[in-house]
Amino acid sequence: MRISNNRLARNIARTALILTSATAVALSLTACGGTGSDSKDGKTVTVYSVDGLGDWYKPVFEKFKAQTGITVNEVEAGSGEVVSRVEKEQSNPQADLVVTLPPFMQKADKSGLLQVSGVDTGAVAAADKDSDGKWVSLAGNYLCFIANPSVDAAKLTWDDLLRPDYKGKLQYSTPGQAGDGTAVLVLLQQLMGKQGALDYLAKLQANNVGPSSSTGKLQAKVDKGEILIANGDVQMNLQSVKSGSKFNVFFPASADGKKSTVSLPYLMGMAKGAPHSDAAKKLMEFLLSADVQKSLPDTFAIPSRTDLASAPASGNGPSPASTIKDVTVLHPDWTSVLDNLDADVAAYTKATGS
């Protein structure tokens, strides 16, 4: 059978067009990989982390790359937002490691967003890690408050925060969205009971500027005097002061003068479907190594390793230990907190009208 030259030319052109289109589609699909997951060679690992550890991460991640050739891509967000992002991306996982505060790590575990890492966590106390190997404490930390230097914060009580002169000058991160904000609710529940905490926060709402999903963003507002008081955590706030921020760390006292806080560690786990699980495991092992953990006190965090728990910082200035001197540290059952979180947040929202 003969084919004319014109018909043959048309067939060749049509075949070329189909091949070109198929190639374009393939390239398009490859380019849609998103942050962190488009490299499958194990030379990249993506960390979704709560804000606060950025100044510690930078030199540590550079050292990790120098030793392994693996680049670390860090994405920062609020505690709850970190977990929400991992959940939304389950059909196309982007994160390899997750670092967040309780009870959001426990929430990630309960939601099936974590996998067993296989990392040796023998140097970390049993109370500071998941018995099934889904998460482990990376660094110890504590809830606190910060005040602009214009405020004499040393003797402030919880009742003082209700004073009319703080109207529109006080803000705390939102329970259920931010780890530090959730810790505020948990601490008040511990001190006043659940109904007492709701009654107090309902009164405090008259002074509260409004919701905030990230505690870290409140630091700049206190530093500039836009607000006078906010919640925070010891590690993040002292590191910010070291970097030049102007505010003071304090712990509101109860009517009897006693000051209390809650333990609020940075927890680390491997994300389910981590696209670079081998590289992620290497990074976890690196971050838990004695050599790397020794540098945590320099950024006002506490090593999670039991053999380094009392390691001093190499520089001068306040330490977490000196900051919480004479402050009672409470250790909530975060699994129980999580079990009641939805109901507690709903009750909080109703009580405050937020």
Side-chain angles (χ1 to χ4, degrees):
M1 179 176 64
R2 290 185 175 182
I3 301 177
S4 68
N5 289 339
N6 288 340
R7 184 179 177 186
L8 179 60
R10 286 197 300 272
N11 286 344
I12 292 173
R14 182 182 178 188
T15 300
L17 177 61
I18 292 172
L19 291 174
T20 301
S21 298
T23 302
V25 170
L27 289 173
S28 175
L29 290 173
T30 301
C32 289
T35 36
S37 297
D38 51 351
S39 173
K40 299 295 184 181
D41 59 3
K43 294 299 182 182
T44 301
V45 59
T46 297
V47 179
Y48 282 8
S49 177
V50 64
D51 46 7
L53 288 174
D55 290 336
W56 181 68
Y57 282 148
K58 186 175 180 181
V60 168
F61 288 163
E62 288 175 352
K63 185 176 181 180
F64 178 71
K65 182 178 180 180
Q67 291 185 8
T68 65
I70 300 172
T71 298
V72 180
N73 173 32
E74 187 219 351
V75 179
E76 285 192 358
S79 306
E81 189 178 347
V82 165
V83 176
S84 295
R85 182 165 179 171
V86 174
E87 188 169 24
K88 290 175 183 177
E89 295 173 349
Q90 276 302 282
S91 61
N92 183 27
Q94 305 295 305
D96 296 300
L97 293 187
V98 179
V99 178
T100 192
L101 305 181
F104 295 98
M105 185 61 83
Q106 287 81 356
K107 181 179 180 180
D109 185 12
K110 187 176 182 179
S111 301
L113 303 179
L114 304 176
Q115 62 177 309
V116 176
S117 67
V119 171
D120 180 5
T121 60
V124 179
D128 295 326
K129 60 188 177 185
D130 175 48
S131 58
D132 295 326
K134 296 288 187 63
W135 54 263
V136 61
S137 175
L138 173 61
N141 197 12
Y142 307 97
L143 172 71
C144 68
F145 280 72
I146 56 175
N148 184 270
S150 63
V151 175
D152 182 8
K155 296 182 180 180
L156 280 180
T157 67
W158 290 105
D159 287 341
D160 288 333
L161 302 186
L162 300 176
R163 291 183 345 214
D165 47 317
Y166 289 129
K167 184 176 179 62
K169 291 295 184 180
L170 180 150
Q171 190 173 16
Y172 62 95
S173 51
T174 308
Q177 296 183 32
D180 293 321
T182 303
V184 170
L185 177 60
V186 171
L187 176 58
L188 289 171
Q189 288 175 338
Q190 300 276 321
L191 298 176
M192 306 175 184
K194 287 199 173 186
Q195 188 57 51
L198 292 176
D199 292 343
Y200 176 81
L201 289 169
K203 295 175 183 177
L204 188 65
Q205 193 64 15
N207 290 343
N208 187 23
V209 171
S212 175
S213 62
S214 173
T215 313
K217 293 179 180 179
L218 303 181
Q219 295 184 123
K221 298 175 74 172
V222 176
D223 176 47
K224 296 175 183 177
E226 294 176 17
I227 58 176
L228 298 179
I229 294 173
N231 68 317
D233 63 68
V234 169
Q235 184 278 325
M236 176 176 65
N237 294 151
L238 291 183
Q239 181 63 32
S240 186
V241 169
K242 181 180 179 180
S243 300
S245 294
K246 296 178 179 60
F247 50 68
N248 298 311
V249 171
F250 76 102
F251 301 86
S254 300
D256 58 6
K258 293 182 179 179
K259 299 178 180 182
S260 303
T261 185
V262 294
S263 174
L264 201 61
Y266 290 100
L267 304 178
M268 172 174 63
M270 185 180 294
K272 180 183 178 181
H276 312 104
S277 57
D278 289 342
K281 181 178 180 180
K282 290 179 182 178
L283 179 57
M284 287 186 73
E285 291 171 339
F286 182 77
L287 294 176
L288 292 173
S289 67
D291 182 51
V292 172
Q293 287 264 310
K294 285 178 182 177
S295 65
L296 278 167
D298 293 333
T299 52
F300 308 102
I302 300 169
S304 61
R305 294 178 61 100
T306 56
D307 55 345
L308 296 174
S310 59
S314 59
N316 297 320
S319 67
S322 65
T323 303
I324 63 166
K325 183 181 179 182
D326 301 324
V327 178
T328 300
V329 179
L330 304 176
H331 297 270
D333 179 346
W334 291 108
T335 300
S336 178
V337 170
L338 177 63
D339 290 342
N340 296 287
L341 187 60
D342 288 344
D344 287 345
V345 170
Y348 162 81
T349 301
K350 181 179 179 181
T352 60
S354 58

